[in-house]
Amino acid sequence: MTKAAALTPVPGVSPLEALITDYLEEKRAAGLSRRTLAVYADVLREVLLPYCRRAGIADPAELTAPHLNAVANGLLDGTGARSGRPLSKPSVASYARTINVFLGWLARQGEAPPARVQKPRLPRRVVDTLSREDIRALEDAAASERDKLIIRILADTGIRLGELLGLSATDSLREQPGRKWYLKVRGKGDRERLVPILPSLAARIDRYARRTRKESASELLFLGTRRSPRTGEYEPLSESGTQQMIRDLGLQVLHRRVHPHLFRHSFVTEQLRRGMTPSLVAQIVGHSSLAMIDQVYQHLTVSDAHAALMRSLMADRER
């Protein structure tokens, strides 16, 4: 919607509310997932908009820095949260980020105030990771080739759980000249990308798909172990089922809680420690910007940076 259209009066709808609807429709058309859209809608319609109504603000041009800071403070002390309870600093930072992205969009429409929500300062996080020995132990202890493959794919690619469970049994492997193998992954916003994998892992996936996987009407690679009472078919493996399998393995083998996203953290950390550039890591794991990589990279030490540089310099000398 153009600026003029957005400001066309609609009975009972403020210009700000109309612009929020515009923004969400544009994001939906761009292919954002329903989950992400729901988060955006919740923050803008259930946090920002009610505050603006209470403050008598109908037009985004009326928003000032004190207004936006009051939104964040209300979430921190609970007065601006729907639950009436204070939110954690990470949660408030996430809300602030969503509002600021919306304000940036407004700026491109010529509608935005210059102010932005100040995010609360967060403590530096130490990200838990799995070592390569941990991963091998988990894979060795897995009860079936399906579960072993799930562990290995998560560990060697850093893909998200939803991306793993969306892999096709017939159309996920891609080979390019020089025996270069890739997984075709459908990520956030329905965007596809090719993730490099070892030829040995490609062979295992192909063998599993052709010989071990149960026959099913579903085209997905990973299926449940029991037929559905409703359909009589082996249906796609659920996120909760995968999380439970990994959690049980972690407690059994490593005596600690392990979740699917931990493999992603571990993959990013390992590749950065080995000297891979953040932009390449972001491309492989499907981040549209380096912001998330920077957050994970914070827990690496100066010795990690030294080791990566020494490897790079030694590689130059050996050429």
Side-chain angles (χ1 to χ4, degrees):
M1 187 181 289
T2 64
K3 177 179 178 180
L7 292 178
T8 300
V10 177
V13 176
S14 70
L16 178 60
E17 187 173 358
L19 285 163
I20 288 173
T21 299
D22 247 12
Y23 173 73
L24 295 172
E25 288 299 323
E26 183 175 303
K27 292 300 179 184
R28 181 179 290 107
L32 260 66
S33 69
R34 282 180 295 179
R35 183 179 299 179
T36 302
L37 282 169
V39 170
Y40 285 6
D42 184 64
V43 173
L44 298 176
R45 287 177 169 159
E46 305 299 328
V47 175
L48 179 63
L49 196 57
Y51 169 81
C52 290
R53 285 172 178 158
R54 291 193 299 272
I57 296 170
D59 192 300
E62 300 170 17
L63 279 168
T64 64
H67 288 136
L68 294 169
N69 289 336
V71 173
N73 291 334
L75 294 172
L76 287 168
D77 64 22
T79 59
R82 282 179 301 166
S83 64
R85 295 191 298 271
L87 300 184
S88 67
K89 285 186 177 181
S91 294
V92 176
S94 175
Y95 278 48
R97 186 163 48 249
T98 298
I99 293 172
N100 285 341
V101 171
F102 170 63
L103 295 176
W105 177 85
L106 284 177
R108 294 190 292 276
Q109 315 303 309
E111 298 283 357
R116 295 292 184 269
V117 182
Q118 291 295 313
K119 291 183 285 188
R121 186 179 296 276
L122 300 178
R124 188 165 178 167
R125 226 169 25 118
V126 176
V127 178
D128 189 21
T129 61
L130 296 166
S131 69
R132 301 307 287 181
E133 292 74 20
D134 291 337
I135 291 164
R136 278 193 292 271
L138 291 169
E139 184 180 359
D140 289 344
S144 66
E145 177 61 6
R146 184 202 69 174
D147 295 352
K148 292 177 187 293
L149 264 182
I150 286 173
I151 298 294
R152 182 50 54 189
I153 292 172
L154 288 173
D156 283 7
T157 65
I159 63 176
R160 302 175 178 92
L161 176 58
E163 294 170 345
L164 172 92
L165 298 180
L167 292 175
S168 165
T170 58
D171 192 38
S172 287
L173 290 174
R174 290 287 186 273
E175 184 180 16
Q176 295 188 1
R179 292 206 70 217
K180 294 178 180 177
W181 285 92
Y182 299 83
L183 272 182
K184 187 176 77 170
V185 172
R186 189 176 298 276
K188 286 188 174 181
D190 216 27
R191 292 186 293 268
E192 288 186 351
R193 68 182 188 279
L194 295 179
V195 178
I197 57 173
L198 290 169
S200 57
L201 180 54
R204 282 181 65 184
I205 294 171
D206 178 62
R207 188 164 55 247
Y208 172 79
R210 290 186 296 105
R211 300 180 187 176
T212 309
R213 176 183 173 273
K214 306 288 188 182
E215 289 291 332
S216 172
S218 171
E219 294 183 354
L220 296 180
L221 180 62
F222 293 114
L223 306 171
T225 56
R226 296 188 179 128
R227 294 183 185 273
S228 164
R230 182 175 56 84
T231 65
E233 293 278 355
Y234 290 102
E235 296 192 339
L237 183 61
S238 67
E239 288 195 6
S240 60
T242 312
Q243 291 165 343
Q244 184 65 55
M245 180 271 290
I246 290 173
R247 184 163 52 246
D248 290 346
L249 270 177
L251 293 173
Q252 171 194 332
V253 177
L254 304 178
H255 309 294
R256 59 190 274 208
R257 292 182 67 83
V258 176
H259 52 87
H261 210 73
L262 184 54
F263 291 91
R264 186 170 172 84
H265 286 317
S266 304
F267 176 85
V268 171
T269 299
E270 182 70 13
Q271 300 317 310
L272 291 171
R273 279 184 171 150
R274 292 184 178 188
M276 185 180 289
T277 64
S279 59
L280 274 178
V281 176
Q283 179 182 329
I284 291 170
V285 300
H287 283 313
S288 57
S289 75
L290 296 182
M292 289 299 295
I293 296 295
D294 288 342
Q295 288 180 24
V296 175
Y297 194 57
Q298 286 179 359
H299 71 284
L300 300 181
T301 66
V302 67
S303 62
D304 294 313
H306 179 274
L309 179 57
M310 293 304 103
R311 281 193 296 272
S312 175
L313 295 174
M314 291 300 294
D316 285 339
R317 287 186 178 185
E318 291 169 2
R319 288 176 184 170

